[in-house]
């Protein structure tokens, strides 16, 4: 295979690089920079498949590389972010003065996201049903949901939302819910377009329009709402349309 045919794989490695950098910043607690690199990685993740289809090159190597890169960007990073969020809440609540061992024990629950993402990606590689749609929440969606939480906490003026993210019971419950959704037998529509007619793509167009409006009006708070909307529209599409 010529060097040019490996271009999609190089783009995939760009995803891996961005995810690796995001891990470093997440460990240091620089969630804004981590989020930027996660977003860069997800963009690479989109364009590697797009480029492969455009060039007519597909293969097992690209498939495996894609999942390995996603494991870092959309598996390790959100696990570390959840770990740091739970840990910072413990410190803020002064619980570490009484139960110092919890500095690691409880926050490690956040890494369940990493394990669940690994399981989801391994299953995706073996599942022939997920060509035009998804079964279970895609790992990039989960990663965006989690990485948005500290940004929301730092930028929102809504007390209820800040208190929710500062509550470890909520974060632990969210960890389990997202882990379940990634591996649930739940069909979710893909944003890939085979053709662009309104008749056959109105759910996708509505979702994209709603997402833009939410981002413009709500900033970081829009991210989890967009992902919840995505799940809700998928359920409506599967059951009623």
């Amino acid at each position: 295979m010529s060097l040019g045919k490996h271009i999609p794989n190089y783009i995939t490695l760009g995803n891996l690089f961005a995810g690796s950098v995001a891990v470093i910043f997440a460990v240091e607690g620089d969630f804004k920079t981590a989020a930027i690199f996660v977003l860069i990685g997800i963009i690479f993740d989109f364009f590697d498949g797009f480029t492969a289809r455009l060039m007519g090159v597909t293969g097992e190597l690209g498939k495996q590389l894609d999942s390995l890169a996603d494991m870092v960007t959309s598996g390790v990073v959100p696990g570390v972010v959840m770990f740091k969020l739970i840990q910072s809440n413990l410190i803020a609540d002064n619980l570490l003065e009484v139960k110092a061992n919890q500095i690691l024990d409880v926050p490690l629950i956040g890494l369940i996201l990493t394990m669940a993402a690994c399981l989801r990606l391994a299953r995706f590689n073996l599942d022939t049903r997920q060509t035009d749609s998804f079964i279970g929440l895609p790992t990039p969606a989960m990663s965006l949901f989690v990485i948005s939480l500290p940004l929301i906490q730092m930028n929102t003026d809504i007390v209820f939302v800040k208190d929710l993210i500062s509550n470890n019971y909520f974060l632990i419950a969210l960890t389990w819910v997202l882990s379940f959704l990634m591996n649930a037998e739940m069909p979710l529509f893909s944003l890939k377009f085979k053709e662009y007619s309104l008749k056959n793509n109105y759910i996708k167009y509505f979702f994209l329009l709603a997402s833009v409006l939410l981002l413009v009006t709500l900033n970081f708070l829009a991210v989890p709402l967009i992902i919840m909307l995505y799940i809700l529209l998928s359920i409506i599409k599967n059951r009623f349309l």
Side-chain angles (χ1 to χ4, degrees), residues 85 89 149-168 170-171 221:
L85 281 174
N89 287 344
L149 296 177
L151 303 181
I152 293 169
Q153 191 177 40
M154 290 184 288
N155 291 280
T156 188
D157 294 323
I158 305 174
V159 176
F160 171 75
V161 174
K162 293 175 76 74
D163 289 345
L164 200 61
I165 300 172
S166 298
N167 188 313
N168 277 345
F170 167 74
L171 294 180
L221 184 57

Side-chain angles (χ1 to χ4, degrees), residues 32-78:
K32 183 175 181 180
T33 307
I36 291 171
F37 277 97
V38 165
L39 186 59
I40 291 171
I42 289 174
I43 292 171
F44 277 129
D45 185 39
F46 172 80
F47 278 105
D48 63 3
F50 176 80
T51 305
R53 290 188 295 272
L54 190 66
M55 298 179 64
V57 290
T58 57
E60 192 62 27
L61 176 62
K63 182 178 179 182
Q64 298 302 325
L65 274 179
D66 189 67
S67 287
L68 290 170
D70 280 348
M71 182 58 212
V72 177
T73 307
S74 300
V76 177
V77 176

Side-chain angles (χ1 to χ4, degrees), residues 88-101:
S88 65
N89 287 344
L90 286 174
I91 295 171
D93 292 339
N94 294 318
L95 291 180
L96 296 183
E97 295 179 4
V98 180
K99 302 178 181 179
N101 62 306

